[in-house]
């Protein structure tokens, strides 16, 4: 099974790790759009163009299914990709919403993500469609992305920023918080420290991997999975000096098969 997966950069590795855990036999073809990161503050039109190019590239690598391992791209481009391409496509929003509704006792749910994800209203819509009476509190947390990329996972500056961003959730007395951005799971300890243990934290990576596993089974049963398992492949659209090291650690790999490409050609 060749599973194509893309993100704006390295955040999608959290989803890749969960997929490898769930489907050890799958071969990942990972694309990180490091030339055009961050996606969070960009317009829907731009993100749709990027998502189409990324998908065309991954399809050229003969994938059986596609995972959009980026919340901003899922929020802005899922319907477009589904209507333009015929392979199975899985996003990170539906699994995160399902998981939040499964664990939330009082349906007072907080969502944090990039400006694009929050502005798109994708999570808010998906939650209210399934639970019309849910109370939803949202807050874009753009500074969390560079803090994670700087490795400031447990840094006093990150704690200060987290207290500022998350205060609204304390006041609203949420019982569940959805981490609607691929970078945020790495800040779980700081977020829990600020909000307290009683707030349940939903990280959609695990639920997304379960969904991928279900689709993978369907593909196998229909006999369309004809690939032999090879090494995971990694492609980036520009240099990212920390990518290799982080990917090797996150995915527990011995070495990394990584190449660069010009994504604008797709
Ligand atoms: N991967 C993005 C997301 O999940 C966060 C990083 C970015 O802004 O590109 O929304």
């Amino acid at each position: 099974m060749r599973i194509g997966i893309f993100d704006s950069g390295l955040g999608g590795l959290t989803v890749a790790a969960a997929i490898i855990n769930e489907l050890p036999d799958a071969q990942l073809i990972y694309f990180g759009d490091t030339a055009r990161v961050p996606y969070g503050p960009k317009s829907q039109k731009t993100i749709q163009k990027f998502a189409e190019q990324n998908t065309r590239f991954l399809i050229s690598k003969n994938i059986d299914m596609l995972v959009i391992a980026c919340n901003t791209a899922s929020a802005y481009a899922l319907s477009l990709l589904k209507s333009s391409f015929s392979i199975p496509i899985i996003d990170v929003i539906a699994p995160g919403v399902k998981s939040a509704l499964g664990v939330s006792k009082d349906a007072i749910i907080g969502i944090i993500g990039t400006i694009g994800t929050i502005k798109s209203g994708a999570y808010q819509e998906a939650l209210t469609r399934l639970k019309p009476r849910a109370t939803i509190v949202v807050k874009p947390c753009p500074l969390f992305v560079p803090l994670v990329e700087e490795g400031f996972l447990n840094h006093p500056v990150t704690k200060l920023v987290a207290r500022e961003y998350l205060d609204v959730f304390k006041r609203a007395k949420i019982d569940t918080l959805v981490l609607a951005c691929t970078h945020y799971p790495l800040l779980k300890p700081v977020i829990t420290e600020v909000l307290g243990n009683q707030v349940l934290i939903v990280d959609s990576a695990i639920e997304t991997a379960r969904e991928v596993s279900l689709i993978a089974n369907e593909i196998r049963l229909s006999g369309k999975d004809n690939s032999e398992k090879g090494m995971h492949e990694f492609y980036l659209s520009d240099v990212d000096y920390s990518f290799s090291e982080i990917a090797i650690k996150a995915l527990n790999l011995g070495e990394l098969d990584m190449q660069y490409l010009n994504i604008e050609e797709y």
Side-chain angles (χ1 to χ4, degrees), residues 193-227:
E193 192 181 314
V194 172
L195 289 181
N197 278 328
Q198 68 289 357
V199 175
L200 299 165
I201 310 275
V202 170
D203 156 7
S204 50
I206 294 165
E207 202 66 44
T208 302
R210 285 201 193 112
E211 192 69 28
V212 170
S213 166
L214 290 178
I215 307 283
N217 254 339
E218 282 172 23
I219 294 173
R220 260 191 218 114
L221 289 174
S222 69
K224 284 191 201 138
D225 161 32
N226 46 20
S227 47

Side-chain angles (χ1 to χ4, degrees), residues 7-8 37-41 70-72 114 117 145 180-183:
D7 177 43
S8 54
V37 68
Y39 281 10
C70 170
N71 286 267
T72 311
T114 64
T117 298
V145 170
C181 174
T182 47
H183 284 58

